Amino acid sequence: MLASAPVAAARPKLHAYIDIAVVVVVLAGTNLIAHFTTAWASIVTVPIAAVALLVLMRKRGLGWAELGLSPRHWRRGTLYALGAVGIVLTAVAIGALLPITRPFFLADRYATISGALIASMIVIPLQTVIPEELAFRGVLHGTLDRVVGVRGLFAAGSLMFGLWHIASSMGLTSGNKGLLEIVGGGLLGQIVGIALAVAATAVAGVVFTWLRRRSGSLLAPIALHWSLNGAGALAAAVVWHTALR
């Protein structure tokens, strides 16, 4: 009886590692399908995968609190969300006004106000922010939290979030005037741009994870993630509009 106790205790941990492996494999496959197949796949793959992972890990035993979706944390999550959004909106406004940082807002895909509004209010929340937060700060966070310590959770989760952005960063330098002037064009400039994007999103992942742990809710990282992307898109359109005058 005593000899079988360690084996029984190891089973939940083994199952947790299997869950992590499943989540990582699904996310890797999702990223490849979304960026290297069809236009429709780029729109629907990430949201579908995020929901599928959520359902699967609920069946595997992850609770709503472990996923950051427990109602009892909504109030605290909302307070942190409001604070995060306020800080980002202030920073974005300052960045868009300062001559030294204005060129970094000149992204081609947000050259029109209407396009930026659609992207900010519909595309970015539904296609990017909510699915990514469900997948990374929800499902992946919950599975990692069962078997690794706090440092491991921050390191692994943030690194994977940074690597997630490799494919989406391949055309970053060519579409951003400010970044292009710094890193240059060509293959080297593209590699540097990707490396910077991975590093920046990994750091963002650390902040998102801190908010998730601190508030206990996905509301805070979702709000911060949206404000970084959505407010940035709107600011880019305003900068383009004023620059053309």
Side-chain angles (χ1 to χ4, degrees):
M1 292 294 291
L2 291 176
S4 65
V7 176
R11 284 175 184 167
K13 198 167 188 178
L14 175 61
H15 291 169
Y17 277 117
I18 292 173
D19 290 343
I20 293 171
V22 169
V23 173
V24 171
V25 169
V26 170
L27 287 175
T30 298
N31 195 284
L32 292 175
I33 293 170
H35 290 98
F36 299 107
T37 55
T38 66
W40 272 108
S42 68
I43 296 172
V44 302
T45 303
V46 178
I48 289 175
V51 173
L53 283 173
L54 177 64
V55 172
L56 177 61
M57 290 305 141
R58 276 289 296 160
K59 291 183 178 295
R60 294 283 292 173
L62 257 69
W64 291 118
E66 290 179 289
L67 293 164
L69 296 171
S70 173
R72 71 173 183 267
H73 295 130
W74 285 355
R75 182 177 179 276
R76 188 176 179 86
T78 300
L79 293 175
Y80 274 90
L82 291 173
V85 170
I87 292 171
V88 171
L89 291 181
T90 302
V92 168
I94 293 172
L97 290 171
L98 292 176
I100 193 172
T101 51
R102 278 174 65 87
F104 291 97
F105 288 87
L106 294 175
D108 294 342
R109 55 182 171 173
Y110 302 129
T112 65
I113 297 292
S114 60
L117 280 171
I118 293 172
S120 177
M121 301 303 173
I122 300 175
V123 177
I124 288 173
L126 298 181
Q127 187 179 329
T128 302
V129 173
I130 295 175
E132 286 186 359
E133 291 308 313
L134 277 175
F136 283 91
R137 258 62 63 181
V139 176
L140 182 61
H141 185 109
T143 56
L144 286 171
D145 203 22
R146 287 188 164 189
V147 291
V148 300
V150 174
R151 291 182 180 177
L153 175 64
F154 273 85
S158 302
L159 176 61
M160 281 187 263
F161 188 61
L163 295 175
W164 169 264
H165 289 84
I166 290 177
S168 61
S169 304
M170 287 185 173
L172 182 64
T173 53
S174 61
N176 188 294
K177 183 180 177 182
L179 193 58
L180 182 62
E181 290 178 352
I182 292 177
V183 303
L187 180 60
L188 180 60
Q190 185 180 44
I191 293 173
V192 173
I194 292 172
L196 289 174
V198 170
T201 49
V203 171
V206 172
V207 179
F208 295 155
T209 300
W210 181 85
L211 280 172
R212 161 72 175 83
R213 287 186 64 84
R214 187 73 176 175
S215 67
S217 172
L218 284 184
L219 291 176
I222 285 174
L224 178 58
H225 197 160
W226 172 84
S227 60
L228 288 169
N229 290 19
L234 292 173
V238 172
V239 171
W240 267 114
H241 186 69
T242 54
L244 292 175
R245 291 188 171 187

